[in-house]
Amino acid sequence: HGYDVQAYYSIAKDLGTMEDFESLVAELDKNNMNIIMDMVFNHASSATSYFREAYADFDAEMSGEIISDSKSDWFNFSIEPQLNYIKYKDYYVESSFNTSSMMDLNLLNEDVIEECGNILNFWAAKGVKGYRFDAVKYFVGQGVRQETIEICNKLKEFQPDLYYVGEAWDEDPYYFNKYYESKFDAFFNFPM
């Protein structure tokens, strides 16, 4: 389904090439139309270099190694089972969707947020005019939290003039409305 993103700076081969994408943006621009790109930052594929490096660093640290530029905290690992964590090889890792192909990024990590910003800037430079952020509800744990609002605000700072819409659903309108404390332009809620 494409939500287990493996490469944030390229186009999936079955959808075309980067040149195809650039041509599409140029043609749309001629016709006063824009692209809003689906952006998946809650989780990344276990096949990404981000996850592979983080897992290797965490594994080495569990063996007593000290790694100066470790990425082990780009994801949330544990040596014991926890709620919303799944078993992956020798350890447990947070996965809101309970699948070994989609691991939750640690969006409380400033380096992860900086990389998200690099990705947003990359696609903005290609002509993207907005982003639809997947699974905002799971940015930190589950449901709207102050940390979630802060992450939304940090993401908006990278491209303040682009349109940001978040996928955030909750049965209770009070909690859904809390997302509007962020600087995102809009949210949508499937149940509502």
Side-chain angles (χ1 to χ4, degrees):
H1 49 58
Y3 287 94
D4 53 339
V5 178
Q6 295 181 25
Y8 284 89
Y9 293 97
S10 62
I11 301 294
K13 289 179 183 157
D14 58 340
L15 298 178
T17 65
M18 187 63 75
E19 292 74 27
D20 294 332
F21 181 82
E22 291 165 348
S23 294
L24 173 64
V25 171
E27 286 300 313
L28 290 174
D29 190 52
K30 288 179 194 174
N31 291 284
N32 296 316
M33 297 173 72
N34 299 314
I35 287 188
I36 295 175
M37 180 176 263
D38 210 358
M39 196 54 65
V40 184
F41 285 156
N42 173 71
H43 48 270
S45 171
S46 54
T48 59
S49 59
Y50 304 135
F51 183 77
R52 290 193 315 266
E53 290 173 34
Y55 184 88
D57 288 351
F58 184 80
D59 187 44
E61 290 166 356
M62 290 298 100
S63 300
E65 202 173 320
I66 297 173
I67 302 172
S68 61
D69 58 348
S70 175
K71 289 189 175 166
S72 65
D73 61 351
W74 278 46
F75 295 83
N76 294 311
F77 293 102
S78 174
I79 57 173
E80 301 198 8
Q82 294 190 40
L83 182 64
N84 298 320
Y85 280 56
I86 62 163
K87 180 82 169 171
Y88 185 85
K89 296 185 181 179
D90 297 328
Y91 307 107
Y92 296 88
V93 62
E94 187 176 17
S95 175
S96 293
F97 293 96
N98 195 29
T99 174
S100 62
S101 67
M102 299 187 327
M103 309 306 196
D104 287 12
L105 282 158
N106 178 7
L107 295 174
L108 296 174
N109 180 323
E110 288 300 322
D111 292 332
V112 173
I113 293 294
E114 190 64 32
E115 178 60 9
C116 291
N118 293 339
I119 294 164
L120 296 172
N121 292 340
F122 174 85
W123 291 105
K126 295 279 184 193
V128 168
K129 298 298 185 198
Y131 299 103
R132 176 259 186 207
F133 291 88
D134 183 64
V136 170
K137 176 179 179 172
Y138 299 106
F139 275 6
V140 180
Q142 293 191 14
V144 64
R145 297 168 55 158
Q146 190 56 40
E147 296 96 329
T148 303
I149 302 302
E150 291 165 10
I151 290 166
C152 290
N153 290 342
K154 288 177 184 178
L155 294 173
K156 183 67 172 175
E157 287 172 10
F158 290 104
Q159 290 295 328
D161 296 330
L162 297 191
Y163 182 74
Y164 280 34
V165 57
E167 175 200 25
W169 62 96
D170 201 300
E171 296 291 339
D172 187 331
Y174 169 79
Y175 291 105
F176 178 69
N177 289 336
K178 294 289 285 177
Y179 289 103
Y180 282 95
E181 293 177 7
S182 79
K183 295 177 182 173
F184 272 32
D185 300 287
F187 290 90
F188 67 91
N189 182 340
F190 290 121
M192 292 179 73

